[in-house]
Amino acid sequence: MVKKPPFSPMMMKYLEVKEQYKDTLLLYRLGDFYELFFEDAKIASRELELVLTGKDAGAEERVPMCGMPHHAVKGYIEKLIKKGYKVAIAEQLEDPSTAKGLVKRGVVQVITPGTMIDTGLEEKRNNYIAAIEDFTTFFVISYADLSTGEVGVLNIEHDENSLTNELEALECKEVIVDPSFKLSYLDLMKAKHNITVSFQEESEITLEYESLLVNTNDIRQEKAIVRLVDYLTRTQMRSLDYLQPAKVIKTKQYLQMDAFTRFNLELTRTIRSDDRFGSLLWILDKTKTAMGGRLLQRYIVRPLADKSEIERRLDNVEALANNYLERMEIINGLKEVYDLPRLIGRIGYGNANAKDLIQLSKSLKVVPSIKSAIYKIGTPSLSLLADQMPDLSAINELIEASIVENPPFTIKEGGMIKQGYNTDLDELNSLSKGGKDWISRLEAVERERTGIKGLKIGFNKVFGFYIEITNSYLPLVKDEFGYIRKQTLTNGERFITQELKEKEALVLGAEDKAIKLEYEIFVSIREEIKKYTEQIQKLADHLSVVDVLTSFAEVSIANDFVRPLFNDEHKIQICEGRHPVIEKVIGHNAYVPNNTYLDETKNLLLITGPNMAGKSTYIRQVTLICIMAQIGCFVPAKSANLSVVDQIFTRIGASDDLVSGQSTFMVE
């Protein structure tokens, strides 16, 4: 006797899929809902505050179940990811209307904290995922932002603090390691930031990774990059050929700060509230684009240690500051630029809609005016930035010719493609519209023919077009009208006629064909734009730099900052220096400036004074001036003559809240 399966065929298929994704919450598409079962349902019900129900699945007891409508699933996924869960999406892989037996379903994507691309992302913050390779004497970290296509790699010292420092600097949400990796190295990150740890076996380095590895010549760095990309490809289940060549980060080129130093100096977040307000990033961020905001944060986390590169940035900031009209023209242009890296990321990933293409087109339109303003300023370094911005007018012309000005969010319901772009589509739309016009006129014709004033023509997806007559008019219906009863309602009846059904088939057939053709046309347009991925990413990089430099110029003018000078004599001479954030909060005139002098013979200052005298503020002030100078910004002082600093250490009172005027002593 054949043993009966413990569950229904549908549930057995679900369990088969779930077996492959044990460490994820499986969202299983059933009709218009995504459903979760068993322990997944209990977790989702608790975390999302959804009603936990049960499903008859062939067993004696009902299976725990909860679900969410497909149109609202992004919000639910975002909440689960923020709580540290991984989510696997199982979709219908065939058309239910043509499937024989159970509709085939399978996982099409695994979403994790480090692989979010189109929901839950902060505009001006990267969403990095990192892979770590342990080579006994040092670690290699490769990292990527799936939403922008950025990839980087660097070597660091082999100790837990250095590892934690770099992962915190990147603000990584997820780390990929070999199954044999010593997980205790990540205990600190897991405790402080609830970082997700995932595993990926080592893969062979083949030619398919060649474009990613063009900047590397270290096999150990290449291993880290390949492990990361393999994990991304495995979870996203598609080609990720929009990922950029890995940028090799050489830490000696940058000013070194550990995580504790960045935290205490409140570079990107304040100590007390973990908020941008009151941080150095807050005071410096006048960027107009999301991509510029992300670059500014990277500048602040990694200030330069190369004097010539610092001077080049300062030259550009000075030129922008001295040319008001051109600077305003650049700013007005940047305001119209959308998030190009994430737009081309969605195009490359394959989930961009028509609105994304319109945003891309609007962004490209203003690039010529930005370049023109840069050329008017006339400095060689800025002009070189403009020279390197590729001409992408062909993409703009394609989008303007093909996509309607205000397209829908969906790409499978039509309404995206302009009339005149495709002859076949125009013919189908004309056929569909002509039929609908005929049906809209039919109501008046039928009222006149039958004498039934309450007659209405309606439509729904179940019955198609129908003639609806309320109960009070039903006695007027005669056999010679040719009405065929279709549905009985509480307040009337619905009828069809042979002529109406024939027209319906024509209208709906043309409409379905038009929608299908529109989708195919849109995908072909998206694929054509995808060919320009590298040029769009290059344009985004240069516009981001212009945005940050312009932000520095704006901030410097608004806050009376001065251009710092640099010397090779290990000297720091600051005249009337100020703390940039505190003076902004309490007012420029209320802040008392201070002088600082250090050189090779006087290389130590011992700062003393009573509680709340301003010792911490003074120390931070000097440090922030050095950092601001080395990211290429002007500084809050009457004058500043500085030496390039290669490392900063701080151990300042852990409870200081300088912005609100409270020292460690006062807080305690």
Side-chain angles (χ1 to χ4, degrees):
M1 183 176 177
V2 179
K3 188 176 179 181
K4 181 184 176 183
F7 296 108
S8 65
M10 187 285 292
M11 191 55 66
M12 291 298 291
K13 182 61 182 175
Y14 164 83
L15 290 170
E16 184 183 319
V17 176
K18 175 63 182 174
E19 181 66 20
Q20 302 171 49
Y21 298 93
K22 293 179 180 178
D23 64 339
T24 67
L25 299 178
L26 178 59
L27 272 60
Y28 202 68
R29 181 70 178 265
L30 293 173
D32 289 335
F33 280 78
Y34 287 99
E35 306 287 4
L36 299 97
F37 300 102
F38 299 101
E39 193 61 31
D40 285 5
K42 294 177 182 178
I43 293 171
S45 172
R46 180 181 70 246
E47 299 288 8
L48 301 174
E49 299 181 359
L50 296 172
V51 176
L52 184 67
T53 61
K55 180 177 179 62
D56 292 322
E60 291 183 9
E61 295 184 6
R62 286 164 65 84
V63 169
M65 178 183 82
C66 76
M68 57 203 71
H70 73 95
H71 59 80
V73 73
K74 284 186 178 180
Y76 290 111
I77 291 173
E78 182 182 336
K79 289 178 182 177
L80 290 170
I81 296 300
K82 284 184 176 178
K83 291 176 182 285
Y85 295 100
K86 300 178 185 179
V87 177
I89 309 296
E91 294 283 5
Q92 297 171 169
L93 302 180
E94 56 185 349
D95 188 341
S97 62
T98 59
K100 294 179 180 179
L102 280 177
V103 177
K104 186 178 179 182
R105 292 178 175 84
V107 171
V108 297
Q109 182 186 10
V110 177
I111 305 173
T112 67
T115 60
M116 295 182 72
I117 188 167
D118 60 356
T119 183
L121 299 178
E122 290 187 42
E123 275 194 346
K124 290 192 172 185
R125 294 179 79 175
N126 282 102
N127 189 56
Y128 286 129
I129 180 172
I132 306 170
E133 296 288 332
D134 184 351
F135 290 106
T136 308
T137 56
F138 63 94
F139 291 116
V140 174
I141 298 177
S142 66
Y143 60 90
D145 184 338
L146 196 60
S147 70
T148 65
E150 297 167 53
V151 181
V153 64
L154 69 158
N155 298 352
I156 60 168
E157 293 178 21
H158 196 277
D159 67 79
E160 185 179 343
N161 287 331
S162 295
L163 183 60
T164 301
N165 177 48
E166 288 302 330
L167 294 177
E168 284 194 338
L170 293 167
E171 296 185 338
C172 285
K173 305 294 190 301
E174 184 176 1
V175 169
I176 314 304
V177 294
D178 185 90
S180 63
F181 185 83
K182 188 177 176 182
L183 292 179
S184 60
Y185 289 135
L186 298 171
D187 285 347
L188 194 56
M189 278 298 291
K190 290 170 75 174
K192 290 175 68 176
H193 303 288
N194 192 31
I195 195 168
T196 299
V197 179
S198 301
F199 300 98
Q200 174 69 33
E201 299 283 354
E202 185 177 337
S203 299
E204 185 181 351
I205 301 171
T206 60
L207 287 175
E208 67 180 299
Y209 303 103
E210 190 175 12
S211 63
L212 287 165
L213 306 177
V214 292
N215 298 325
T216 61
N217 53 16
D218 185 332
I219 188 69
R220 295 163 295 189
Q221 291 185 341
E222 292 174 357
K223 280 186 177 181
I225 296 165
V226 169
R227 189 185 302 276
L228 176 59
V229 174
D230 275 357
Y231 175 81
L232 294 174
T233 305
R234 177 168 64 85
T235 56
Q236 303 313 296
M237 302 178 188
R238 66 193 73 201
S239 169
L240 301 175
D241 51 6
Y242 68 93
L243 292 178
Q244 301 176 45
K247 181 180 179 182
V248 179
I249 305 297
K250 296 180 179 178
T251 53
K252 289 184 179 180
Q253 294 176 345
Y254 301 97
L255 190 162
Q256 298 298 299
M257 295 178 283
D258 62 21
F260 196 88
T261 298
R262 286 193 301 270
F263 174 73
N264 276 284
L265 292 176
E266 299 181 307
L267 297 183
T268 60
R269 289 285 188 272
T270 57
I271 294 172
R272 296 286 300 283
S273 64
D274 192 36
D275 189 40
R276 279 171 60 108
F277 177 78
S279 68
L280 181 63
L281 177 61
W282 168 71
I283 195 74
L284 296 182
D285 190 3
K286 300 298 179 188
T287 57
K288 305 306 176 187
T289 68
M291 56 193 183
R294 293 193 296 271
L295 180 63
L296 172 59
Q297 181 158 336
R298 295 198 294 274
Y299 276 10
I300 292 173
V301 170
R302 293 192 193 278
L304 295 168
D306 183 320
K307 182 182 171 185
S308 61
E309 181 65 18
I310 295 168
E311 294 282 13
R312 188 183 64 79
R313 280 191 197 169
L314 289 169
D315 288 343
N316 289 335
V317 173
E318 185 171 33
L320 287 161
N322 290 338
N323 290 270
Y324 173 79
L325 292 177
E326 289 76 14
R327 188 174 75 252
M328 288 300 105
E329 194 174 339
I330 291 169
I331 288 171
N332 290 333
L334 289 170
K335 286 178 181 177
E336 301 299 316
V337 176
Y338 289 84
D339 195 341
L340 291 177
R342 284 185 172 158
L343 283 176
I344 194 58
R346 286 198 288 274
I347 290 168
Y349 190 85
N351 64 348
N353 61 23
K355 284 190 178 293
D356 291 326
L357 301 196
I358 292 297
Q359 289 182 357
L360 176 60
S361 175
K362 288 180 177 178
S363 302
L364 298 179
K365 274 184 188 176
V366 299
V367 172
S369 67
I370 294 173
K371 291 174 70 171
S372 173
I374 292 172
Y375 286 133
K376 287 178 190 173
I377 294 174
T379 60
S381 183
L382 278 175
S383 295
L384 182 61
L385 274 174
D387 290 341
Q388 293 172 336
M389 295 180 191
D391 179 9
L392 295 168
S393 55
I395 296 179
N396 189 42
E397 290 168 6
L398 171 62
I399 296 170
E400 284 197 325
S402 60
I403 307 295
V404 298
E405 192 171 331
N406 188 25
F409 285 100
T410 59
I411 60 174
K412 292 189 175 181
E413 295 180 13
M416 301 177 291
I417 306 300
K418 279 184 176 178
Q419 184 178 354
Y421 182 72
N422 183 279
T423 306
D424 293 340
L425 179 61
D426 289 345
E427 288 178 2
L428 288 170
N429 283 332
S430 177
L431 193 60
S432 175
K433 185 178 184 301
K436 286 180 178 177
D437 290 344
W438 179 88
I439 289 168
S440 66
R441 292 194 299 269
L442 180 64
E443 187 174 288
V445 171
E446 287 298 298
R447 283 181 180 180
E448 180 71 25
R449 184 170 76 90
T450 63
I452 301 174
K453 294 180 180 178
L455 181 149
K456 292 181 180 178
I457 303 289
F459 173 82
N460 65 36
K461 289 186 177 181
V462 177
F463 294 108
F465 290 102
Y466 54 79
I467 298 168
E468 184 172 306
I469 300 174
T470 57
N471 288 331
S472 58
Y473 289 101
L474 282 177
L476 299 178
V477 177
K478 299 176 182 178
D479 292 341
E480 61 261 31
F481 293 169
Y483 286 4
I484 304 165
R485 184 174 276 103
K486 186 70 177 176
Q487 185 185 18
T488 300
L489 308 172
T490 55
N491 64 337
E493 297 276 352
R494 287 177 176 172
F495 302 88
I496 59 169
T497 66
Q498 189 60 38
E499 187 181 17
L500 183 59
K501 291 308 290 180
E502 289 172 1
K503 210 67 172 177
E504 174 190 284
L506 187 67
V507 170
L508 297 185
E511 192 169 12
D512 288 344
K513 287 178 183 176
I515 289 172
K516 185 179 179 182
L517 181 57
E518 268 213 47
Y519 175 72
E520 292 172 357
I521 293 168
F522 174 76
V523 170
S524 69
I525 294 167
R526 194 169 64 187
E527 286 300 307
E528 181 62 27
I529 295 170
K530 188 177 173 181
K531 296 175 184 176
Y532 293 85
T533 295
E534 188 178 341
Q535 292 98 311
I536 294 172
Q537 289 170 337
K538 185 178 180 181
L539 173 64
D541 288 344
H542 296 313
L543 286 175
S544 299
V545 172
V546 171
D547 195 9
V548 173
L549 295 175
T550 307
S551 178
F552 287 165
E554 286 285 290
V555 170
S556 298
I557 292 167
N559 296 285
D560 196 23
F561 295 169
V562 299
R563 175 172 179 164
L565 303 175
F566 281 91
N567 62 78
D568 298 317
E569 302 158 15
H570 304 292
K571 181 170 65 178
I572 293 178
Q573 185 174 1
I574 301 170
C575 179
E576 296 186 16
R578 312 181 309 269
H579 191 297
V581 180
I582 295 176
E583 79 157 351
K584 186 70 174 178
V585 174
I586 68 173
H588 181 70
N589 294 328
Y591 191 88
V592 178
N594 301 277
N595 297 334
T596 304
Y597 186 84
L598 290 166
D599 60 24
E600 288 184 324
T601 58
K602 184 183 178 182
N603 57 16
L604 175 69
L605 290 180
L606 180 63
I607 313 300
T608 64
N611 291 321
M612 295 189 67
K615 300 185 298 295
S616 295
T617 299
Y618 177 74
I619 294 169
R620 281 194 175 113
Q621 165 191 306
V622 174
T623 309
L624 290 178
I625 286 173
C626 290
I627 289 172
M628 288 173 65
Q630 289 187 213
I631 65 175
C633 186
F634 288 12
V635 299
K638 186 175 181 181
S639 65
N641 191 344
L642 309 171
S643 176
V644 173
V645 177
D646 65 356
Q647 201 156 1
I648 292 174
F649 303 92
T650 63
R651 287 296 181 271
I652 300 172
S655 302
D656 275 359
D657 187 3
L658 300 186
V659 171
S660 56
Q662 297 187 40
S663 67
T664 303
F665 171 77
M666 187 66 174
V667 171
E668 290 171 353

